[in-house]
Amino acid sequence: ETGVTQTPRHLVMGMTNKKSLKCEQHLGHNAMYWYKQSAKKPLELMFVYSLEERVENNSVPSRFSPECPNSSHLFLHLHTLQPEDSALYLCASSQAVEDTQYFGPGTRLTVL
Amino acid sequence: AQSVSQHNHHVILSEAASLELGCNYSYGGTVNLFWYVQYPGQHLQLLLKYFSGDPLVKGIKGFEAEFIKSKFSFNLRKPSVQWSDTAEYFCAVSPSGAGSYQLTFGKGTKLSVIP
């Protein structure tokens, strides 16, 4: 059981498609995160939001566009992705940015 | 920037064997340290964490980890593993204070426990 949910759990898309990943946290947290987990590489922090404001963008290509409409929801909008973007995308949340992060189950993305 | 090294990619143990998974980090300042676990088909879960104080930290399910500052290490231990401990274990580090959300993970160690 997790307080952080992600949809969809699996996504296959072409390079010209536009899709969005959704994350929702039910923990009353104020900070949310996107991570990328590629095969044989460590988890990489992509974006950090605190109180709906972006506080970190770790040199992520512009084809990934995050959106945080409120403290419970986080989106990752995808467009014109490349096959090397295929990975597991994890969402996390924490009470504040300095607190322990709790992770969702991830979305397995395949780009054809 | 910080980095984390987990030396063992895959560890295979029999039930009741003792476990120690290595984790070393590099960072010039004070750090927060974490071990996360991912059981098959489940999400990443926090096993234990160290922020300050007693360097021997006890976590859930009988796990513990010891922070040795001089060795930049935070090894995970369990005296007697069970088949249900089969999972992938990730060590992570973040700076203390400003930027503490910058979690850097190791590549993970897969643990297989044979009944």
Side-chain angles (χ1 to χ4, degrees), chain A residues 42 56 58 97-98 100-101, chain B residues 36 46 49 100-102 105:
Chain A
E56 188 67 54
N58 274 354
V97 288
E98 62 267 23
T100 302
Q101 297 175 29
Chain B
Y36 281 85
L46 181 68
K49 62 185 178 183
S100 58
Y101 54 81
Q102 285 276 14
F105 283 82

Side-chain angles (χ1 to χ4, degrees), chain A residues 41-101:
Chain A
K41 291 178 69 176
L43 264 75
E44 301 169 76
L45 180 64
M46 299 174 73
F47 300 105
V48 181
Y49 276 83
S50 175
L51 297 170
E52 297 116 63
E53 287 195 16
R54 193 188 308 181
V55 298
E56 188 67 54
N57 174 357
N58 274 354
S59 303
V60 179
S62 59
R63 57 185 184 269
F64 295 91
S65 174
E67 179 191 2
C68 188
N70 55 64
S71 59
S72 299
H73 294 87
L74 184 66
F75 294 89
L76 187 63
H77 303 300
L78 315 170
H79 63 98
T80 59
L81 294 192
Q82 304 298 312
E84 59 265 28
D85 297 322
S86 298
L88 181 67
Y89 289 85
L90 292 172
C91 174
S93 71
S94 62
Q95 182 60 49
V97 288
E98 62 267 23
D99 293 322
T100 302
Q101 297 175 29

Side-chain angles (χ1 to χ4, degrees), chain B residues 22-107:
Chain B
C23 173
N24 287 92
Y25 69 93
S26 65
Y27 183 67
T30 54
V31 293
N32 300 323
L33 295 155
F34 307 82
W35 275 98
Y36 281 85
V37 60
Q38 189 167 29
Y39 297 102
Q42 295 190 29
H43 63 280
L44 211 58
Q45 302 172 39
L46 181 68
L47 201 54
L48 49 79
K49 62 185 178 183
Y50 171 82
F51 281 14
S52 64
D54 188 344
L56 184 60
V57 179
K58 294 193 184 300
I60 59 173
K61 303 186 181 185
F63 285 90
E64 65 179 31
E66 184 176 13
F67 171 45
I68 302 179
K69 190 174 180 180
S70 61
K71 294 185 178 180
F72 297 91
S73 69
F74 191 56
N75 292 355
L76 181 70
R77 299 194 293 247
K78 185 170 183 178
S80 175
V81 294
Q82 302 172 317
W83 175 79
S84 58
D85 293 323
T86 295
E88 190 157 16
Y89 293 80
F90 296 90
C91 181
V93 62
S94 72
S96 298
S100 58
Y101 54 81
Q102 285 276 14
L103 264 184
T104 299
F105 283 82
K107 291 186 178 182

